Amino acid sequence: MAYCPRCATEYEDSARECIDCHLPLRPGPPPASLLERKRRPLRSDVKLVPVHVFSGGTAVMQAELARDWLESEGIPCVLPGEASVGMLPVLDVPVLVCEEDADEATRIIKEYLEANATPGEDETA
Ligand SMILES: [Zn+2]
């Protein structure tokens, strides 16, 4: 058995990615924490707080990757103005999560950024 880390849909072992989310599947049954989140979707009335702000020309892409990462850890998040992305240059893209998830999200995104840091890449060019 395999499952999608975002939507918790279960798949056969032979499946490689979620047909809806296009995320690589994880082996095993979906964890209870993910199913719990799925039953408790992000409501429109929750207080959202930014856990990180990406900036620069790749901000949107980076924010989307970070969102996928957070959601794979069971934390729903929101990128404001997502629907309008593509027409205008967006320089600052905050990643928003529920206030109650903020502490955990901050820790996860810090690990994510450290894991994806590429120090010195520009200097050697
Ligand atoms: Zn999915």
Side-chain angles (χ1 to χ4, degrees):
M1 189 184 291
Y3 70 95
C4 172
R6 178 183 288 178
C7 66
T9 302
E10 293 179 29
Y11 288 89
E12 300 293 327
D13 280 334
S14 56
R16 299 227 169 249
E17 67 174 28
C18 178
I19 58 173
D20 293 323
C21 312
H22 304 289
L23 287 176
L25 301 179
R26 295 191 173 188
S33 61
L34 183 60
L35 294 172
E36 178 72 21
R37 301 267 185 188
K38 190 173 164 60
R39 284 197 298 271
R40 184 171 62 87
L42 201 56
R43 302 187 310 272
S44 58
D45 60 340
V46 296
K47 188 176 191 307
L48 296 173
V49 295
V51 290
H52 192 78
V53 178
F54 291 95
S55 56
T58 60
V60 172
M61 189 186 73
Q62 289 181 320
E64 286 177 349
L65 289 172
R67 179 192 59 190
D68 287 347
W69 180 268
L70 281 169
E71 291 189 342
S72 77
E73 297 291 330
I75 295 181
C77 53
V78 175
L79 305 182
E82 197 171 3
S84 63
V85 163
M87 294 301 292
L88 297 166
V90 180
L91 296 180
D92 292 315
V93 182
V95 177
L96 306 177
V97 302
C98 302
E99 191 172 30
E100 65 193 76
D101 290 330
D103 287 347
E104 191 180 357
T106 300
R107 180 182 59 77
I108 290 170
I109 208 161
K110 185 166 177 290
E111 288 177 4
Y112 167 78
L113 292 171
E114 286 172 356
N116 288 273
T118 52
E121 192 179 61
D122 291 337
E123 294 164 25
T124 55

